[in-house]
């Protein structure tokens, strides 16, 4: 019985494997990151205006990428457009030109392309780029994102909930800092089988993608020992999302996490 327990523990440790001490980390770690830009009631999330405000206030930027119908990259959190634009539609079913007609809320801001954002940022602040695949387009999404970043001179890392994006990065662009996004999926995803929720909650696909960091939902971090194992055993970094109070922000910083914040200014 003891040997079985030891074997299971060793398997768990191996499955949570990470890559520690990436040389690019010092450029990322001393920043606080505005979640979807520094947005508020006037500046919509993932808009050029919100990204400009983040830069002007000295914050790094976290943003989201979806693949468009014509193979471009739209900077937007949801695949469905109703929450952010008030109109029906899905990013993956529309071209770049079609998406440019959608306004973000009741503002003049429209859905930016990734190239729009890179041209705006120009390396002035670091980026955390989240890849959001849909319908199995994980490889294509990762490939196009990397292609658009080839000539970019700024500091950035990439992350995803979908470990397959990270596997692609590991195989084809191992130089890029990559991170596994996670949370307690037992609390948030009743639509998934229990075994999938267990694997994703505990980041047991890490042995395939070998991420440099875990980006874990901050209020869920105590639901699994994986964050501690990753940082102490594998020397991985941790990113805390999404911090919505000064108290959580200070706690995350004290724990050594890179903070992603929203709805207040640190």
């Amino acid at each position: 019985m003891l040997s079985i327990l030891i074997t299971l523990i060793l398997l768990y440790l191996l499955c949570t494997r990470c890559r520690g001490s990436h040389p690019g980390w010092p450029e990322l770690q001393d920043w606080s990151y505005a979640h979807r830009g520094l947005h508020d009631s006037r500046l919509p999330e993932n808009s050029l205006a919100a990204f400009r405000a983040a830069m002007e206030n000295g914050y790094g930027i976290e943003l989201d990428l979806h693949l468009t119908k014509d193979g471009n990259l739209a900077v937007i959190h949801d695949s469905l457009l109703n929450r952010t634009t008030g109109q029906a539609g899905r990013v993956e079913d529309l071209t770049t030109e079609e998406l440019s007609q959608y306004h973000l809320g009741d503002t003049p801001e429209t859905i930016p392309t990734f190239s729009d954002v890179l041209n705006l940022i120009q390396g002035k602040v670091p980026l955390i780029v989240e890849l959001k695949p849909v319908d199995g387009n994980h490889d294509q999404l990762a490939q196009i994102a990397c292609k658009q970043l080839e000539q970019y001179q700024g500091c950035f890392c990439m992350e995803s909930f979908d470990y397959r994006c990270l596997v692609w990065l590991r195989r084809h662009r191992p130089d890029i800092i990559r991170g596994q996004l996670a949370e307690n999926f037992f609390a948030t995803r009743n639509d998934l089988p229990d075994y999938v929720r267990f694997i994703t909650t505990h980041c047991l696909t890490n042995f395939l993608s070998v991420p440099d960091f875990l980006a874990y939902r901050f209020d869920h971090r105590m639901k699994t020992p994986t964050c501690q194992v990753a940082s102490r055993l594998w020397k991985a970094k941790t990113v805390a999302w999404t911090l919505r109070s000064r108290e959580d922000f200070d706690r995350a910083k004290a724990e050594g996490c890179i903070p992603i914040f929203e709805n207040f200014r640190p």
Side-chain angles (χ1 to χ4, degrees):
M1 191 68 180
L2 179 60
S3 62
I4 293 175
L5 179 60
I6 292 173
T7 300
L8 289 174
I9 292 173
L10 289 174
L11 283 173
Y12 165 74
L13 295 176
L14 290 172
C15 285
T16 60
R17 177 186 170 197
C18 296
R19 178 176 70 167
S21 303
H22 190 287
W25 264 113
E27 294 183 77
L28 291 167
Q29 65 185 6
D30 294 328
W31 291 78
S32 300
Y33 293 82
H35 188 231
R36 309 177 198 172
L38 198 62
H39 60 91
D40 55 28
S41 58
R42 299 175 298 105
L43 306 177
E45 65 179 61
N46 276 320
S47 67
L48 292 180
F51 298 144
R52 189 177 295 110
M55 282 197 301
E56 291 172 351
N57 285 274
Y59 300 123
I61 294 168
E62 184 270 351
L63 57 84
D64 309 283
L65 295 185
H66 279 270
L67 191 64
T68 64
K69 184 178 180 180
D70 55 343
N72 204 350
L73 297 174
V75 180
I76 189 169
H77 183 269
D78 304 344
S79 177
L80 297 176
L81 296 167
N82 56 309
R83 181 182 68 85
T84 51
T85 71
Q87 300 183 62
R90 194 178 77 142
V91 175
E92 287 76 15
D93 297 330
L94 298 167
T95 65
T96 307
E97 176 61 28
E98 290 168 335
L99 280 171
S100 70
Q101 307 305 311
Y102 286 74
H103 286 265
L104 296 170
D106 297 323
T107 75
E109 295 290 320
T110 56
I111 301 168
T113 65
F114 192 34
S115 58
D116 290 335
V117 174
L118 295 180
N119 288 334
L120 172 70
I121 307 301
Q122 295 184 355
K124 295 183 178 71
V125 300
L127 302 176
I128 296 178
V129 178
E130 180 179 347
L131 302 175
K132 300 185 76 70
V134 174
D135 297 339
N137 65 6
H138 41 86
D139 285 358
Q140 186 182 12
L141 175 62
Q143 181 178 13
I144 292 175
C146 290
K147 183 68 175 178
Q148 292 198 15
L149 284 160
E150 281 182 353
Q151 304 304 316
Y152 185 66
Q153 298 300 312
C155 179
F156 67 92
C157 64
M158 305 181 84
E159 63 179 14
S160 184
F161 280 103
D162 193 324
Y163 77 95
R164 294 173 297 181
C165 289
L166 307 183
V167 169
W168 190 95
L169 291 174
R170 182 190 179 193
R171 290 174 178 170
H172 301 281
R173 289 299 306 271
D175 55 304
I176 291 176
I177 299 172
R178 57 185 183 266
Q180 179 64 58
L181 272 159
E183 60 183 332
N184 176 16
F185 288 96
F186 286 98
T188 60
R189 293 295 302 272
N190 292 329
D191 59 314
L192 296 175
D194 284 348
Y195 78 92
V196 173
R197 291 192 287 176
F198 182 84
I199 289 170
T200 51
T201 294
H202 297 284
C203 304
L204 299 183
T205 57
N206 281 7
F207 75 101
L208 297 171
S209 58
V210 194
D212 297 289
F213 66 94
L214 295 187
Y216 217 92
R217 179 167 166 169
F218 189 63
D219 58 339
H220 288 181
R221 71 197 186 286
M222 304 307 292
K223 300 296 183 181
T224 172
T226 298
C227 290
Q228 294 297 321
V229 170
S231 61
R232 294 181 180 180
L233 175 63
W234 300 113
K235 309 304 179 185
K237 303 298 182 181
T238 54
V239 174
W241 64 273
T242 299
L243 308 170
R244 295 185 172 89
S245 71
R246 166 62 71 172
E247 181 182 7
D248 280 350
F249 181 88
D250 291 342
R251 186 179 298 116
K253 292 281 285 184
E255 293 180 10
C257 301
I258 292 176
I260 299 177
F261 69 92
E262 185 177 58
N263 297 338
F264 77 102
R265 299 191 182 191

